[in-house]
Short mmCIF file of all heavy atoms in Angstrom, two decimals:
data_model
loop_
_atom_site.label_atom_id
_atom_site.label_comp_id
_atom_site.label_asym_id
_atom_site.label_seq_id
_atom_site.Cartn_x
_atom_site.Cartn_y
_atom_site.Cartn_z
N GLY A 275 -63.92 63.02 -29.04
CA GLY A 275 -64.96 62.14 -28.52
C GLY A 275 -66.36 62.45 -29.07
O GLY A 275 -67.12 61.51 -29.44
N ALA A 276 -66.64 63.73 -29.16
CA ALA A 276 -67.94 64.14 -29.79
C ALA A 276 -68.04 63.76 -31.21
O ALA A 276 -69.07 63.32 -31.65
CB ALA A 276 -68.11 65.63 -29.57
N ILE A 277 -66.91 63.88 -31.93
CA ILE A 277 -66.89 63.47 -33.34
C ILE A 277 -67.11 61.98 -33.46
O ILE A 277 -67.87 61.51 -34.29
CB ILE A 277 -65.61 63.93 -34.04
CG1 ILE A 277 -65.60 65.46 -34.21
CG2 ILE A 277 -65.45 63.23 -35.39
CD1 ILE A 277 -64.30 66.00 -34.70
N MET A 278 -66.49 61.20 -32.56
CA MET A 278 -66.64 59.80 -32.62
C MET A 278 -68.09 59.34 -32.20
O MET A 278 -68.53 58.31 -32.68
CB MET A 278 -65.64 59.08 -31.74
CG MET A 278 -64.20 59.15 -32.20
SD MET A 278 -64.05 58.46 -33.87
CE MET A 278 -64.40 56.76 -33.56
N VAL A 279 -68.74 60.15 -31.35
CA VAL A 279 -70.11 59.84 -31.02
C VAL A 279 -70.94 59.90 -32.34
O VAL A 279 -71.83 59.06 -32.59
CB VAL A 279 -70.69 60.81 -30.02
CG1 VAL A 279 -72.17 60.76 -29.92
CG2 VAL A 279 -70.09 60.54 -28.66
N LEU A 280 -70.66 60.86 -33.17
CA LEU A 280 -71.48 61.07 -34.42
C LEU A 280 -71.06 60.07 -35.47
O LEU A 280 -71.90 59.62 -36.29
CB LEU A 280 -71.29 62.48 -34.97
CG LEU A 280 -71.78 63.59 -34.03
CD1 LEU A 280 -71.40 64.96 -34.59
CD2 LEU A 280 -73.27 63.47 -33.78
N VAL A 281 -69.78 59.67 -35.54
CA VAL A 281 -69.24 58.85 -36.63
C VAL A 281 -69.54 57.34 -36.35
O VAL A 281 -69.70 56.58 -37.29
CB VAL A 281 -67.77 59.12 -36.86
CG1 VAL A 281 -67.14 58.15 -37.82
CG2 VAL A 281 -67.62 60.54 -37.32
N SER A 282 -69.56 56.96 -35.11
CA SER A 282 -69.75 55.48 -34.76
C SER A 282 -70.96 54.88 -35.32
O SER A 282 -72.04 55.50 -35.20
CB SER A 282 -69.66 55.30 -33.26
OG SER A 282 -68.43 55.69 -32.74
N LYS A 283 -70.88 53.77 -35.90
CA LYS A 283 -72.01 53.04 -36.48
C LYS A 283 -72.78 52.32 -35.39
O LYS A 283 -73.96 52.20 -35.50
CB LYS A 283 -71.54 52.08 -37.53
CG LYS A 283 -70.80 52.71 -38.66
CD LYS A 283 -71.76 53.00 -39.76
CE LYS A 283 -70.95 53.54 -40.97
NZ LYS A 283 -71.64 54.56 -41.66
N ASN A 284 -72.06 51.79 -34.44
CA ASN A 284 -72.67 51.04 -33.37
C ASN A 284 -73.18 52.00 -32.24
O ASN A 284 -72.42 52.81 -31.70
CB ASN A 284 -71.70 50.04 -32.76
CG ASN A 284 -72.29 49.03 -31.84
OD1 ASN A 284 -73.39 49.22 -31.37
ND2 ASN A 284 -71.55 48.03 -31.54
N PRO A 285 -74.48 51.93 -31.85
CA PRO A 285 -74.98 52.84 -30.84
C PRO A 285 -74.30 52.68 -29.48
O PRO A 285 -74.12 53.65 -28.76
CB PRO A 285 -76.46 52.52 -30.75
CG PRO A 285 -76.79 51.69 -31.92
CD PRO A 285 -75.53 51.09 -32.42
N VAL A 286 -73.90 51.51 -29.15
CA VAL A 286 -73.22 51.24 -27.87
C VAL A 286 -71.85 51.98 -27.86
O VAL A 286 -71.45 52.59 -26.88
CB VAL A 286 -73.03 49.76 -27.57
CG1 VAL A 286 -72.31 49.51 -26.29
CG2 VAL A 286 -74.45 49.10 -27.47
N HIS A 287 -71.14 51.91 -28.97
CA HIS A 287 -69.87 52.62 -29.08
C HIS A 287 -70.12 54.15 -28.96
O HIS A 287 -69.27 54.85 -28.42
CB HIS A 287 -69.19 52.26 -30.37
CG HIS A 287 -68.70 50.83 -30.43
ND1 HIS A 287 -68.41 50.21 -31.63
CD2 HIS A 287 -68.48 49.93 -29.44
CE1 HIS A 287 -68.03 48.99 -31.39
NE2 HIS A 287 -68.09 48.79 -30.07
N SER A 288 -71.17 54.63 -29.57
CA SER A 288 -71.50 56.04 -29.41
C SER A 288 -71.68 56.50 -27.99
O SER A 288 -71.20 57.48 -27.52
CB SER A 288 -72.73 56.38 -30.24
OG SER A 288 -72.51 56.27 -31.62
N VAL A 289 -72.38 55.64 -27.20
CA VAL A 289 -72.58 55.90 -25.81
C VAL A 289 -71.24 55.90 -25.04
O VAL A 289 -71.01 56.77 -24.21
CB VAL A 289 -73.59 54.90 -25.20
CG1 VAL A 289 -73.65 55.06 -23.69
CG2 VAL A 289 -74.98 55.16 -25.75
N LEU A 290 -70.37 54.98 -25.34
CA LEU A 290 -69.09 54.89 -24.69
C LEU A 290 -68.26 56.13 -25.01
O LEU A 290 -67.55 56.65 -24.14
CB LEU A 290 -68.43 53.58 -25.07
CG LEU A 290 -69.06 52.35 -24.47
CD1 LEU A 290 -68.35 51.09 -24.99
CD2 LEU A 290 -69.17 52.37 -22.98
N TRP A 291 -68.30 56.59 -26.31
CA TRP A 291 -67.54 57.78 -26.63
C TRP A 291 -68.18 59.02 -25.93
O TRP A 291 -67.44 59.97 -25.57
CB TRP A 291 -67.54 58.00 -28.11
CG TRP A 291 -66.53 57.17 -28.81
CD1 TRP A 291 -66.74 56.11 -29.66
CD2 TRP A 291 -65.11 57.35 -28.76
NE1 TRP A 291 -65.54 55.65 -30.08
CE2 TRP A 291 -64.55 56.33 -29.56
CE3 TRP A 291 -64.29 58.20 -28.04
CZ2 TRP A 291 -63.16 56.17 -29.71
CZ3 TRP A 291 -62.89 58.07 -28.17
CH2 TRP A 291 -62.36 57.07 -29.04
N LEU A 292 -69.46 59.02 -25.70
CA LEU A 292 -70.08 60.12 -24.96
C LEU A 292 -69.58 60.08 -23.50
O LEU A 292 -69.45 61.19 -22.95
CB LEU A 292 -71.58 59.98 -25.05
CG LEU A 292 -72.43 61.17 -24.62
CD1 LEU A 292 -72.04 62.42 -25.42
CD2 LEU A 292 -73.90 60.85 -24.74
N VAL A 293 -69.36 58.93 -22.94
CA VAL A 293 -68.77 58.88 -21.60
C VAL A 293 -67.42 59.52 -21.57
O VAL A 293 -67.06 60.26 -20.64
CB VAL A 293 -68.76 57.45 -21.04
CG1 VAL A 293 -67.93 57.28 -19.85
CG2 VAL A 293 -70.14 56.92 -20.89
N VAL A 294 -66.63 59.28 -22.62
CA VAL A 294 -65.25 59.94 -22.74
C VAL A 294 -65.46 61.46 -22.77
O VAL A 294 -64.70 62.20 -22.12
CB VAL A 294 -64.56 59.42 -23.96
CG1 VAL A 294 -63.30 60.25 -24.25
CG2 VAL A 294 -64.19 57.94 -23.81
N VAL A 295 -66.42 61.94 -23.50
CA VAL A 295 -66.65 63.43 -23.51
C VAL A 295 -67.04 63.89 -22.20
O VAL A 295 -66.58 65.00 -21.75
CB VAL A 295 -67.82 63.73 -24.57
CG1 VAL A 295 -68.19 65.17 -24.52
CG2 VAL A 295 -67.38 63.36 -25.94
N PHE A 296 -67.83 63.18 -21.43
CA PHE A 296 -68.25 63.59 -20.09
C PHE A 296 -67.06 63.65 -19.14
O PHE A 296 -66.93 64.53 -18.31
CB PHE A 296 -69.36 62.74 -19.47
CG PHE A 296 -70.70 62.99 -20.14
CD1 PHE A 296 -71.60 61.99 -20.32
CD2 PHE A 296 -71.12 64.28 -20.50
CE1 PHE A 296 -72.83 62.17 -20.90
CE2 PHE A 296 -72.32 64.52 -21.04
CZ PHE A 296 -73.19 63.51 -21.27
N PHE A 297 -66.13 62.71 -19.26
CA PHE A 297 -64.91 62.77 -18.48
C PHE A 297 -64.09 63.96 -18.79
O PHE A 297 -63.50 64.58 -17.86
CB PHE A 297 -64.11 61.46 -18.59
CG PHE A 297 -64.51 60.38 -17.67
CD1 PHE A 297 -65.41 59.37 -18.05
CD2 PHE A 297 -64.00 60.37 -16.40
CE1 PHE A 297 -65.76 58.37 -17.22
CE2 PHE A 297 -64.36 59.33 -15.52
CZ PHE A 297 -65.25 58.36 -15.92
N ALA A 298 -63.92 64.30 -20.07
CA ALA A 298 -63.18 65.50 -20.48
C ALA A 298 -63.84 66.80 -19.96
O ALA A 298 -63.17 67.69 -19.49
CB ALA A 298 -63.08 65.52 -22.00
N ILE A 299 -65.18 66.80 -19.97
CA ILE A 299 -65.85 67.97 -19.42
C ILE A 299 -65.67 68.10 -17.93
O ILE A 299 -65.49 69.15 -17.39
CB ILE A 299 -67.33 67.95 -19.83
CG1 ILE A 299 -67.51 68.17 -21.33
CG2 ILE A 299 -68.19 68.98 -19.08
CD1 ILE A 299 -68.90 67.96 -21.83
N SER A 300 -65.66 66.96 -17.26
CA SER A 300 -65.43 66.98 -15.79
C SER A 300 -63.98 67.49 -15.48
O SER A 300 -63.77 68.18 -14.56
CB SER A 300 -65.58 65.55 -15.23
OG SER A 300 -66.94 65.20 -15.29
N GLY A 301 -63.06 67.13 -16.38
CA GLY A 301 -61.66 67.65 -16.28
C GLY A 301 -61.64 69.17 -16.38
O GLY A 301 -60.96 69.87 -15.66
N HIS A 302 -62.51 69.67 -17.32
CA HIS A 302 -62.60 71.17 -17.46
C HIS A 302 -63.16 71.81 -16.18
O HIS A 302 -62.71 72.85 -15.77
CB HIS A 302 -63.43 71.51 -18.65
CG HIS A 302 -62.69 71.46 -19.98
ND1 HIS A 302 -62.94 70.56 -20.90
CD2 HIS A 302 -61.73 72.23 -20.44
CE1 HIS A 302 -62.17 70.74 -21.90
NE2 HIS A 302 -61.40 71.76 -21.63
N TYR A 303 -64.19 71.15 -15.64
CA TYR A 303 -64.73 71.66 -14.40
C TYR A 303 -63.75 71.72 -13.26
O TYR A 303 -63.68 72.67 -12.44
CB TYR A 303 -65.95 70.80 -13.94
CG TYR A 303 -67.21 71.02 -14.69
CD1 TYR A 303 -68.09 69.97 -14.92
CD2 TYR A 303 -67.53 72.26 -15.19
CE1 TYR A 303 -69.25 70.14 -15.61
CE2 TYR A 303 -68.70 72.46 -15.85
CZ TYR A 303 -69.54 71.42 -16.13
OH TYR A 303 -70.70 71.59 -16.80
N ILE A 304 -62.86 70.71 -13.20
CA ILE A 304 -61.83 70.73 -12.14
C ILE A 304 -60.83 71.83 -12.43
O ILE A 304 -60.36 72.52 -11.46
CB ILE A 304 -61.08 69.33 -12.11
CG1 ILE A 304 -62.07 68.35 -11.51
CG2 ILE A 304 -59.81 69.42 -11.28
CD1 ILE A 304 -61.54 66.93 -11.61
N LEU A 305 -60.51 72.10 -13.66
CA LEU A 305 -59.63 73.25 -14.00
C LEU A 305 -60.23 74.56 -13.62
O LEU A 305 -59.55 75.50 -13.33
CB LEU A 305 -59.21 73.18 -15.48
CG LEU A 305 -58.29 72.09 -15.95
CD1 LEU A 305 -58.12 72.16 -17.47
CD2 LEU A 305 -56.96 72.21 -15.22
N LEU A 306 -61.58 74.64 -13.64
CA LEU A 306 -62.23 75.86 -13.32
C LEU A 306 -62.53 75.96 -11.81
O LEU A 306 -63.29 76.88 -11.38
CB LEU A 306 -63.56 75.97 -14.08
CG LEU A 306 -63.43 76.21 -15.54
CD1 LEU A 306 -64.76 76.06 -16.22
CD2 LEU A 306 -62.89 77.56 -15.81
N ASN A 307 -61.97 75.08 -11.00
CA ASN A 307 -62.14 75.07 -9.55
C ASN A 307 -63.66 74.80 -9.14
O ASN A 307 -64.17 75.34 -8.23
CB ASN A 307 -61.68 76.36 -8.88
CG ASN A 307 -61.52 76.20 -7.44
OD1 ASN A 307 -61.31 75.09 -6.91
ND2 ASN A 307 -61.49 77.30 -6.69
N ALA A 308 -64.29 73.93 -9.94
CA ALA A 308 -65.68 73.57 -9.67
C ALA A 308 -65.74 72.11 -9.42
O ALA A 308 -66.26 71.33 -10.28
CB ALA A 308 -66.61 74.02 -10.76
N GLN A 309 -65.13 71.65 -8.36
CA GLN A 309 -64.99 70.20 -8.05
C GLN A 309 -66.33 69.55 -7.92
O GLN A 309 -66.53 68.41 -8.27
CB GLN A 309 -64.14 70.01 -6.81
CG GLN A 309 -62.71 70.41 -6.94
CD GLN A 309 -62.48 71.90 -6.63
OE1 GLN A 309 -63.39 72.60 -6.22
NE2 GLN A 309 -61.28 72.36 -6.89
N PHE A 310 -67.26 70.25 -7.28
CA PHE A 310 -68.65 69.71 -7.04
C PHE A 310 -69.26 69.38 -8.39
O PHE A 310 -69.86 68.32 -8.56
CB PHE A 310 -69.47 70.61 -6.19
CG PHE A 310 -70.85 70.10 -5.97
CD1 PHE A 310 -71.08 69.03 -5.16
CD2 PHE A 310 -71.92 70.68 -6.57
CE1 PHE A 310 -72.35 68.53 -4.94
CE2 PHE A 310 -73.21 70.21 -6.39
CZ PHE A 310 -73.40 69.13 -5.58
N LEU A 311 -69.22 70.30 -9.31
CA LEU A 311 -69.81 70.07 -10.60
C LEU A 311 -69.13 68.95 -11.36
O LEU A 311 -69.77 68.15 -12.11
CB LEU A 311 -69.74 71.34 -11.49
CG LEU A 311 -70.72 72.49 -11.11
CD1 LEU A 311 -70.48 73.64 -12.01
CD2 LEU A 311 -72.13 71.97 -11.19
N ALA A 312 -67.80 68.80 -11.22
CA ALA A 312 -67.09 67.71 -11.83
C ALA A 312 -67.57 66.30 -11.34
O ALA A 312 -67.90 65.45 -12.18
CB ALA A 312 -65.61 67.83 -11.61
N ILE A 313 -67.74 66.24 -10.06
CA ILE A 313 -68.18 64.99 -9.44
C ILE A 313 -69.59 64.66 -9.87
O ILE A 313 -69.96 63.55 -10.16
CB ILE A 313 -68.02 64.97 -7.91
CG1 ILE A 313 -66.51 65.10 -7.62
CG2 ILE A 313 -68.57 63.75 -7.29
CD1 ILE A 313 -65.64 63.93 -8.11
N VAL A 314 -70.46 65.72 -9.76
CA VAL A 314 -71.85 65.54 -10.09
C VAL A 314 -71.98 65.15 -11.56
O VAL A 314 -72.80 64.30 -11.97
CB VAL A 314 -72.66 66.79 -9.79
CG1 VAL A 314 -74.05 66.76 -10.42
CG2 VAL A 314 -72.77 66.96 -8.30
N ASN A 315 -71.16 65.76 -12.41
CA ASN A 315 -71.18 65.43 -13.90
C ASN A 315 -70.82 63.97 -14.09
O ASN A 315 -71.45 63.24 -14.90
CB ASN A 315 -70.21 66.32 -14.61
CG ASN A 315 -70.27 66.12 -16.10
OD1 ASN A 315 -71.38 65.92 -16.66
ND2 ASN A 315 -69.16 66.23 -16.72
N LEU A 316 -69.80 63.47 -13.35
CA LEU A 316 -69.45 62.08 -13.49
C LEU A 316 -70.49 61.16 -12.92
O LEU A 316 -70.84 60.13 -13.55
CB LEU A 316 -68.14 61.83 -12.75
CG LEU A 316 -66.86 62.32 -13.41
CD1 LEU A 316 -65.64 62.03 -12.57
CD2 LEU A 316 -66.68 61.74 -14.79
N ILE A 317 -71.08 61.47 -11.83
CA ILE A 317 -72.10 60.58 -11.16
C ILE A 317 -73.39 60.60 -11.96
O ILE A 317 -73.90 59.54 -12.29
CB ILE A 317 -72.35 60.97 -9.72
CG1 ILE A 317 -71.06 60.68 -8.90
CG2 ILE A 317 -73.51 60.26 -9.14
CD1 ILE A 317 -71.11 61.21 -7.47
N VAL A 318 -73.87 61.76 -12.30
CA VAL A 318 -75.19 61.87 -12.93
C VAL A 318 -75.08 61.54 -14.40
O VAL A 318 -75.83 60.69 -14.91
CB VAL A 318 -75.79 63.27 -12.70
CG1 VAL A 318 -77.07 63.42 -13.53
CG2 VAL A 318 -76.05 63.55 -11.27
N TYR A 319 -74.25 62.20 -15.14
CA TYR A 319 -74.24 62.02 -16.60
C TYR A 319 -73.47 60.77 -16.98
O TYR A 319 -74.02 59.91 -17.68
CB TYR A 319 -73.70 63.23 -17.31
CG TYR A 319 -74.67 64.36 -17.24
CD1 TYR A 319 -74.36 65.48 -16.42
CD2 TYR A 319 -75.80 64.35 -18.02
CE1 TYR A 319 -75.34 66.52 -16.38
CE2 TYR A 319 -76.72 65.38 -17.97
CZ TYR A 319 -76.46 66.44 -17.15
OH TYR A 319 -77.37 67.49 -17.10
N ALA A 320 -72.22 60.67 -16.61
CA ALA A 320 -71.40 59.53 -17.02
C ALA A 320 -71.92 58.24 -16.38
O ALA A 320 -71.72 57.16 -16.91
CB ALA A 320 -69.96 59.73 -16.68
N GLY A 321 -72.57 58.35 -15.22
CA GLY A 321 -73.08 57.16 -14.57
C GLY A 321 -74.51 56.89 -14.88
O GLY A 321 -74.81 56.03 -15.69
N ALA A 322 -75.43 57.64 -14.32
CA ALA A 322 -76.85 57.35 -14.37
C ALA A 322 -77.43 57.52 -15.81
O ALA A 322 -78.14 56.63 -16.31
CB ALA A 322 -77.61 58.22 -13.38
#
């Protein structure tokens, strides 16, 4: 997803790939038993 953010020609597509990266990072937070950080990452970064 991070590579696609850099490679995408369309800025909107880059933002959408960045949302995919944020979802993957939230999955890592859940694996680390940091559920609060996962939800905050989704709400703040992937959302706002």
